[in-house]
Amino acid sequence: MNEAYSQLPSARCRRRTYCCSLLPEMSLLEALSAVQQLLEMKAEQRLWMNRRLIRYFFLNPVEILSCPFLESENCLIYRNRFFGCRAYGLWTEELYRKKGEQSRKAKTLSQHQWQRLGVSLPEEVVNFHLDYCPYVELEGGAFVEDELLLQTSDRIEAISGELVPWHEKFHQEYFSDLSFLLASMSLGLQRAVQLKFEIVRHILSTGNKEKVDRIVDKLDDPLANLTT
Ligand code: SF4
């Protein structure tokens, strides 16, 4: 994966973390790379980080939160940040718009699923869209073609695809969402989904988020068993 990333030119950005408004979608391989970095953290920081990710999982249908890895304008896993983070601002505007359309369709689908459960998500969340960023500059005035970005993305998907059957399972069952995976590791998949539904419905009817804070503050580190 690092070899694939090394094909991308270095870039400078003036906007400073505007693009970190969401936790990007990722392949299983990228999720595992982030988990590896979580495992390298001190126990206390990892617990704080995992709770933050799980809080994000519960709250992302009701509000736009920053990416949980963003802290004081710094990315805590910058070394292992996802392909989506690296490619933002490098796509041509045209391809970025097409990708935005795909993402809008996925969000509309998700909105319909929530509606079938009797929950109407806030319009500002469903319609949230990151504008195209014209402020990323490639070092040395280099230029990157969409083709190279697509090849890099395909290559990472292909390497991740070797993790059979987990790669596909991560896309299909966890919607390529590390926060969902960690919530499921902590609570069990069914319980995580059920709690999310209860929390979202509760917040939308009362505006009160104390319940989610109470639940998350009691969670143990779901990665503790993986540390040596
Ligand atoms: S992983 Fe890092 S670079 Fe990517 S969106 Fe989150 S904070 Fe930003």
Side-chain angles (χ1 to χ4, degrees), residues 19-20 22-24 67 69-70 74-78 81-82 85:
C19 53
C20 304
L22 300 169
L23 177 64
C67 171
F69 289 111
L70 183 68
N74 281 316
C75 171
L76 298 175
I77 56 158
Y78 192 77
R81 70 197 186 285
F82 312 107
C85 317

